Amino acid sequence: MDCLFCKIVTGDIPSKKVYEDEHVLAFHDINPVAPVHVLVIPKKHIQSVLAIQPEDKELIGHLHLSLQKVAEIMEVAESGFRVVTNTGQHGQQTVFHLHYHLIGGRQLEWKF
C-alpha cells in the first residue's frame, strides 16, 4: 500500500509522536495552523469517514477517547481545541487515510 500515514505507522517515515497505543497514533502535523496541531489516526487503514464499517465502531470509539488523551498531553483540554476531519475532494482531504486534526493553543477563528 502506498499510503503516507500507513508508512508513518510502520516507521518507514519518521514522525514526531505525541501519543501511541495498539490502535492509534498521534503525531505533530508538518504544516501546523496553530501552536498545537496534531494528527490522530487509526493504525488500521481506513480511507475516510465514508469507509468506516460497522466492525470499526469499537476502533472509532477508542480513537475518540484518544483525542481526549492527546488534548491533555498537549495541555489544551481546559482551554479548548478543535477537531476536524476532511473527507473527499471538496472536503480538502489530501491523505486518504482517516485522520483527525486536533488544533488549539490559541483563540481559533470561526472561518470556513
Side-chain angles (χ1 to χ4, degrees):
M1 181 174 297
D2 195 34
C3 171
L4 173 69
F5 287 171
C6 287
K7 291 178 181 178
I8 290 173
V9 167
T10 61
D12 293 337
I13 295 176
S15 67
K16 188 175 173 191
K17 293 179 186 177
V18 172
Y19 172 80
E20 182 174 20
D21 65 26
E22 182 181 352
H23 303 288
V24 171
L25 177 64
F27 53 94
H28 289 274
D29 192 295
I30 61 169
N31 295 308
V33 298
V36 172
H37 189 163
V38 176
L39 300 177
V40 183
I41 69 170
K43 288 184 174 180
K44 175 184 177 183
H45 182 82
I46 300 173
Q47 187 169 349
S48 73
V49 168
L50 295 174
I52 296 169
Q53 298 297 310
E55 61 267 18
D56 297 321
K57 100 177 138 176
E58 188 173 319
L59 171 62
I60 298 305
H62 179 78
L63 185 96
H64 279 248
L65 292 171
S66 298
L67 288 163
Q68 294 175 353
K69 292 177 184 177
V70 172
E72 291 169 5
I73 291 166
M74 298 305 298
E75 299 180 346
V76 294
E78 286 188 32
S79 60
F81 56 94
R82 183 173 291 158
V83 176
V84 177
T85 188
N86 302 325
T87 304
Q89 181 182 1
H90 286 186
Q92 298 295 313
Q93 185 176 6
T94 57
V95 177
F96 290 88
H97 183 121
L98 179 65
H99 59 286
Y100 294 86
H101 297 257
L102 188 145
I103 303 166
R106 67 168 167 81
Q107 181 61 57
L108 300 173
E109 298 179 26
W110 183 257
K111 272 201 238 187
F112 287 103

